[in-house]
Amino acid sequence: MSSTAVPAVDVGAPRPVTPTTILAGELAALSRELQEFGYFAPEFADRLQRARDLAAGLDPYVAECTTPESPDLAALAARTAVTDWAHREAPDGAVFLEQEMLSGHVEGQLLKFLIWLSGATRVLEIGMFTGYSALAMAEALPDGGTVLACEVDADVAEFAQQCFAKSTVGERITVAVGPAMDTLRMLAQTPGGPPFDFVFIDADKAGYQAYLDYLLDNPLLTPDAVIAVDNTLMQGQPYAGAGRTANGDAIAAFNRAIAEDSRLEQVLIPIRDGVTLIRRVR
């Protein structure tokens, strides 16, 4: 972005992009439609209402019970939300940019917690968007800790860097603009560089397997490094099956490959759109 001003754009509420928010929307729509028909038993209506409330209330309650985001993260999220992404297409032409690509409050706090638990000091992020997750992880690092964030879109990278410049820990973040695989190859060929303790992958879904394999096959990770991979539930497509997109197919194949890889231990956490934590078997 060439200007630091926040555009005055009415972008509306975020659309449902996680299994729980999609489920809540479907149940709410079903409830409205059945009420219009008006020929089902009241007890059925009550049960449907409870199911809808269980789905719709989960994410807000989880957020309410999670440590609030910092003022810097809140400002970055607000600026992302009021920016008009509707007419901007990602460089590869495969996806449109949208505010829902932001990791957000709860996932950001999860990443911060993982950084604290792992004792990481050097973090790699593959796929940054406007920088929420990079900034969240940077906030959890000790003095001297660093985040190297890979972002293919130069305009989005500039947007993020403007936010980092206004934050209290922005100096901990370096942005590598360009295809992430090019950056990984450059890092692998740079002698003497310290390996990464923590990696967060949130980029093109079809590239997930290649990123993971390259990290495992090259001296880029410490022995106890943790790799977190975002969107591994992909709106429920990998297990629900119907209406699968190319991204849904890619994530389903990735999840299956990880589950069958004897080099790895992993757990898929059903937070937001799914986060899988991976580490090498020692």
Side-chain angles (χ1 to χ4, degrees):
M1 311 299 171
S2 58
S3 170
T4 58
V6 176
V9 178
D10 182 8
V11 294
R15 68 182 182 88
V17 292
T18 68
T20 53
T21 56
I22 293 170
L23 175 60
E26 289 291 322
L27 288 170
L30 181 61
S31 179
R32 287 193 303 269
E33 291 170 7
L34 289 176
Q35 287 174 1
E36 289 175 2
F37 288 124
Y39 56 73
F40 58 94
E43 58 270 22
F44 179 83
D46 290 342
R47 291 176 63 189
L48 184 59
Q49 180 76 29
R50 287 198 299 272
R52 189 204 69 176
D53 291 346
L54 280 170
L58 179 60
D59 285 357
Y61 186 72
V62 169
E64 178 185 337
C65 295
T66 297
T67 299
E69 60 192 354
S70 69
D72 289 339
L73 288 170
L76 190 155
R79 186 175 179 216
T80 301
V82 299
T83 297
D84 183 12
W85 305 103
H87 300 99
R88 296 194 64 255
E89 196 169 343
D92 60 5
V95 295
F96 288 94
L97 301 176
E98 57 183 356
Q99 63 168 308
E100 289 81 12
M101 294 170 68
L102 194 82
S103 297
H105 164 214
V106 174
E107 189 171 347
Q109 292 302 309
L110 172 65
L111 291 171
K112 291 178 72 169
F113 224 102
L114 292 170
I115 296 296
W116 289 324
L117 286 173
S118 66
T121 60
R122 192 162 187 252
V123 175
L124 173 67
E125 180 173 52
I126 300 176
M128 179 182 67
F129 190 42
T130 57
Y132 190 97
S133 50
L135 184 57
M137 293 186 290
E139 289 182 344
L141 288 171
D143 290 341
T146 61
V147 176
L148 175 60
C150 305
E151 174 54 50
V152 71
D153 187 318
D155 288 341
V156 173
E158 183 181 349
F159 181 107
Q161 288 171 311
Q162 291 169 1
C163 296
F164 298 157
K166 297 177 181 179
S167 71
T168 58
V169 297
E171 76 282 353
R172 297 176 180 174
I173 306 170
T174 300
V175 180
V177 180
M181 191 57 76
D182 291 350
T183 300
L184 293 181
R185 293 190 183 101
M186 181 273 294
L187 290 169
Q189 295 167 7
T190 302
F196 294 98
D197 309 297
F198 191 91
V199 181
F200 182 48
I201 302 176
D202 185 15
D204 55 301
K205 311 315 169 191
Y208 274 16
Q209 189 66 56
Y211 297 138
L212 179 64
D213 287 340
Y214 198 87
L215 288 167
L216 295 172
D217 293 340
N218 289 276
L220 293 173
L221 303 175
T222 60
D224 294 322
V226 173
I227 301 171
V229 185
D230 199 16
N231 301 118
T232 47
L233 287 178
M234 187 46 64
Q235 304 176 9
Q237 293 179 30
Y239 61 88
R244 256 200 208 169
T245 63
N247 279 341
D249 287 338
I251 290 297
F254 175 78
N255 289 343
R256 184 167 55 252
I258 296 306
E260 296 172 354
D261 193 329
S262 60
R263 301 173 297 174
L264 306 174
E265 291 183 349
Q266 67 286 327
V267 57
L268 200 168
I269 303 174
I271 183 173
R272 199 167 181 264
D273 200 27
V275 176
T276 297
L277 304 182
I278 301 169
R279 72 178 185 93
R280 275 198 184 101
V281 175
R282 294 192 65 189

